[in-house]
Amino acid sequence: MSQVFNLRSLRPVNDWLARFEDTCRSRKIRLTAQRRAVFEALAADPGHPTVEEIYLRLKKNWPSLPLPTVYRIVEDLINLGLIRRVASENGPLRLDANMEPHQHLVCRVCGWMKDWRDPLWAQTPLPSLLSGGFMAEEYDVRVSGLCRSCADRKPKVKKIGSY
Amino acid sequence: MSQVFNLRSLRPVNDWLARFEDTCRSRKIRLTAQRRAVFEALAADPGHPTVEEIYLRLKKNWPSLPLPTVYRIVEDLINLGLIRRVASENGPLRLDANMEPHQHLVCRVCGWMKDWRDPLWAQTPLPSLLSGGFMAEEYDVRVSGLCRSCADRKPKVKKIGSY
DNA sequence: GTACCTGCAAATGATTTGCGTCTGG
DNA sequence: CCAGACGCAAATCATTTGCAGGTAC
């Protein structure tokens, strides 16, 4: 019963690690130190990090770990259904170890992002068969807006022209 | 009253072109042939093309047009609010000249994408102030699932391991 | 022991930048 | 005319691939 939660987000990180190990065993994927480290770093981070951010974090305690290895492991974890990509409009790939259904708040100015759960979306039924035979499986909802610090700052006018 | 619609999507392309020209004039942006061509190509295409797709299409009738110019113009059009980026989980930037509120159907296998309008979201009120002072402005909703051709195909198991 | 992984180096793909020339208003 | 755009080449950033040696099971 000694459940470890990440204090910032109340993530059941131990559950996730157990699921990671179970999945590796049942899918006959080798449980290497590299894979565990990458998964742990993702599970502990509620901030939707990029591959490079994970790499830099791990590099502190593991200076020899190469970036391509992190990329390969991330790809594997996605295919195993242990983490997912976060949809965004630009910039490098962002990752999410939270596989529970949830929405995202995204700041349109600085890209700041936060998990958010609204019962509304849990209740909203998926249209089962839409136009042209499309088979809907799930909603991906992002609420775009301004985070507190960008809202406090004076609104800047985007500069066009003049390269 | 001779409103030209794009037959595939009933897009009021003429309205959009007029808005493009008005915006250029009012923002004192030069109305060049390159900018008009890029905007027209985007306005005519309901398929959320990449920058390179637009470039290749224009290149047929304008072989000297360089790709970096298309990138710069796309950036300008986004900053002018005339087109927008489409959120996605990976791959190159995709563009959308339809600035009306709408949702997207996205095939999780092949990436096929289609505009979709559901009155549900037009009615759903935005939470005005969410956790931590986030100021919500709009929903971005993607319905993920299987397009008809990927649904017809036999489901493939993703291969993990063995590089 | 051996198939699966990792580590390294190099390739590819997407996007941006610097700078000299040209042109729309 | 001349600031703002374009065209070209080269740089940068993100991600992937090939291959040889290492290690989990």
Side-chain angles (χ1 to χ4, degrees):
Chain A
M1 284 290 105
S2 72
Q3 176 71 76
V4 171
F5 285 91
N6 175 307
L7 288 181
R8 274 210 290 162
S9 63
L10 298 179
R11 305 184 136 203
V13 169
N14 274 0
D15 281 355
W16 296 0
L17 280 169
R19 197 164 68 86
F20 163 71
E21 296 185 6
D22 290 349
T23 303
C24 287
R25 274 190 280 271
S26 67
R27 297 280 299 265
K28 306 267 188 285
I29 306 301
R30 282 188 194 163
L31 192 31
T32 64
Q34 290 87 335
R35 282 180 173 160
R36 184 191 298 273
V38 170
F39 183 78
E40 276 184 2
L42 283 164
D45 186 343
H48 309 95
T50 64
V51 177
E52 182 147 29
E53 281 163 1
I54 292 298
Y55 161 73
L56 291 173
R57 208 163 303 158
L58 294 174
K59 208 168 178 56
K60 283 176 193 156
N61 298 312
W62 191 335
S64 65
L65 186 71
L67 181 56
T69 292
V70 181
Y71 269 99
R72 281 202 256 238
I73 291 175
V74 159
E75 180 74 16
D76 289 345
L77 294 175
I78 291 167
N79 291 338
L80 289 165
L82 290 166
I83 63 172
R84 50 177 150 174
R85 300 184 176 97
V86 178
S88 75
E89 290 172 358
N90 54 13
L93 174 61
R94 293 194 166 270
L95 303 165
D96 193 345
N98 180 2
M99 300 300 279
E100 298 289 306
H102 65 282
Q103 294 76 243
H104 292 118
L105 308 182
V106 187
C107 175
R108 73 170 150 82
V109 174
C110 69
W112 172 94
M113 202 184 284
K114 189 171 189 297
D115 281 4
W116 178 59
R117 233 185 144 162
D118 189 323
L120 171 69
W121 300 106
Q123 293 159 13
T124 305
L126 275 172
S128 58
L129 264 183
L130 298 168
S131 56
F134 183 82
M135 193 175 308
E137 292 175 337
E138 61 173 354
Y139 289 121
D140 174 14
V141 179
R142 303 177 338 122
V143 182
S144 146
L146 288 177
C147 72
R148 168 166 283 167
S149 49
C150 288
D152 287 347
R153 208 163 297 154
K154 284 272 177 300
K156 280 182 205 153
V157 178
K158 286 248 177 86
K159 185 125 182 276
I160 319 284
S162 73
Y163 296 102
Chain B
M1 286 290 105
S2 72
Q3 177 71 74
V4 171
F5 285 92
N6 176 307
L7 288 180
R8 275 209 288 161
S9 62
L10 298 179
R11 306 184 136 203
V13 170
N14 275 1
D15 282 355
W16 296 359
L17 280 168
R19 196 163 69 86
F20 163 71
E21 296 186 6
D22 290 349
T23 302
C24 287
R25 273 189 280 271
S26 66
R27 297 280 299 265
K28 307 270 187 282
I29 306 301
R30 283 190 194 161
L31 191 32
T32 64
Q34 290 89 333
R35 282 180 171 158
R36 182 191 298 272
V38 170
F39 182 79
E40 276 184 2
L42 283 164
D45 186 343
H48 311 95
T50 64
V51 177
E52 182 146 28
E53 281 164 1
I54 292 298
Y55 161 73
L56 291 173
R57 207 163 305 156
L58 294 175
K59 209 169 178 53
K60 284 175 191 157
N61 297 311
W62 190 336
S64 66
L65 186 72
L67 181 55
T69 292
V70 180
Y71 269 99
R72 282 202 253 238
I73 290 174
V74 160
E75 181 73 17
D76 289 345
L77 295 175
I78 291 167
N79 290 338
L80 288 166
L82 290 166
I83 64 173
R84 51 177 150 173
R85 301 183 177 97
V86 178
S88 76
E89 289 173 0
N90 55 14
L93 175 61
R94 293 195 165 271
L95 304 165
D96 194 346
N98 180 4
M99 300 300 279
E100 299 289 307
H102 65 282
Q103 294 77 242
H104 290 119
L105 307 182
V106 187
C107 176
R108 71 170 152 82
V109 174
C110 69
W112 173 93
M113 201 184 285
K114 190 171 189 295
D115 281 3
W116 180 57
R117 227 177 151 168
D118 189 321
L120 173 68
W121 283 288
Q123 295 159 13
T124 305
L126 276 173
S128 57
L129 264 184
L130 299 168
S131 57
F134 183 81
M135 193 176 308
E137 291 175 339
E138 61 172 354
Y139 288 121
D140 174 14
V141 178
R142 304 178 335 125
V143 182
S144 147
L146 288 176
C147 71
R148 167 166 284 167
S149 49
C150 287
D152 288 347
R153 208 163 296 153
K154 284 271 181 298
K156 280 182 205 154
V157 178
K158 286 246 178 87
K159 187 130 181 269
I160 319 284
S162 72
Y163 297 100

